Amino acid sequence: MKKWLSTLVILCCAAFHVHAADEGVEDYAYYGFEPDIVTNYISNRKKLGFVKISVELMVKDPNDLVSLEHHDPLLRSAIVEILGNQAEDKVKSLSGREEIRRECYETVNRLMEQEVGKAIVVNLLFTKYLYD
């Protein structure tokens, strides 16, 4: 009887622990711009400089992906504009890349707040970043 009761208590504790852990898990989703974003930047050389990036937007609620897809052209245009106004040294440096990423993140959230009433993007990631 003691073994049975001990087993029951252990199983209940384990089930409670798993249930409590599931409540704290966030259900993040990602939206990726297709195709990659390609644009020019301000170059110091005679040759035109370009940058090609893959952008992923992270959201907490998978239902927000529909809004992102609907506003894809607006967001893509804003990111292209930001990249097109960058100087060559900023595009080519790691700290500059982070500043550009942060500016894109803030702009995307500002635009989504204007369009849907809330900032839905948790993070903006550059998953590919090529320049010439």
Side-chain angles (χ1 to χ4, degrees):
M1 179 72 174
K2 282 187 176 182
K3 278 188 175 181
W4 184 78
L5 186 58
S6 298
T7 305
L8 183 62
V9 169
I10 291 172
L11 287 175
C12 287
C13 289
F16 176 75
H17 180 68
V18 168
H19 178 69
D22 284 345
E23 288 178 2
V25 174
E26 298 286 339
D27 191 20
Y28 291 107
Y30 293 88
Y31 177 79
F33 290 93
E34 290 292 331
D36 290 348
I37 296 174
V38 180
T39 189
N40 298 329
Y41 60 84
I42 301 169
S43 176
N44 300 333
R45 306 171 285 156
K46 291 181 181 180
K47 182 181 169 190
L48 196 59
F50 76 92
V51 63
K52 177 180 180 178
I53 62 171
S54 293
V55 178
E56 299 282 333
L57 303 176
M58 184 171 118
V59 294
K60 278 188 180 178
D61 184 3
N63 296 325
D64 290 334
L65 295 176
V66 175
S67 295
L68 290 175
E69 184 175 6
H70 179 73
H71 295 291
D72 180 297
L74 174 68
L75 303 177
R76 177 183 287 274
S77 173
I79 292 170
V80 167
E81 186 175 338
I82 290 168
L83 289 167
N85 290 324
Q86 303 304 316
E88 183 174 6
D89 0 340
K90 193 170 183 181
V91 169
K92 292 184 175 183
S93 74
L94 288 175
S95 61
R97 182 187 318 183
E98 176 58 23
E99 288 177 33
I100 294 168
R101 188 200 66 79
R102 196 171 312 115
E103 184 178 351
C104 290
Y105 167 72
E106 291 167 359
T107 301
V108 163
N109 260 336
R110 183 177 42 79
L111 289 171
M112 290 308 293
E113 194 165 347
Q114 290 173 357
E115 296 299 319
V116 298
K118 62 180 180 175
I120 61 176
V121 177
V122 176
N123 202 355
L124 182 143
L125 307 167
F126 290 156
T127 55
K128 185 189 311 176
Y129 191 92
L130 305 170
Y131 57 84
D132 181 35

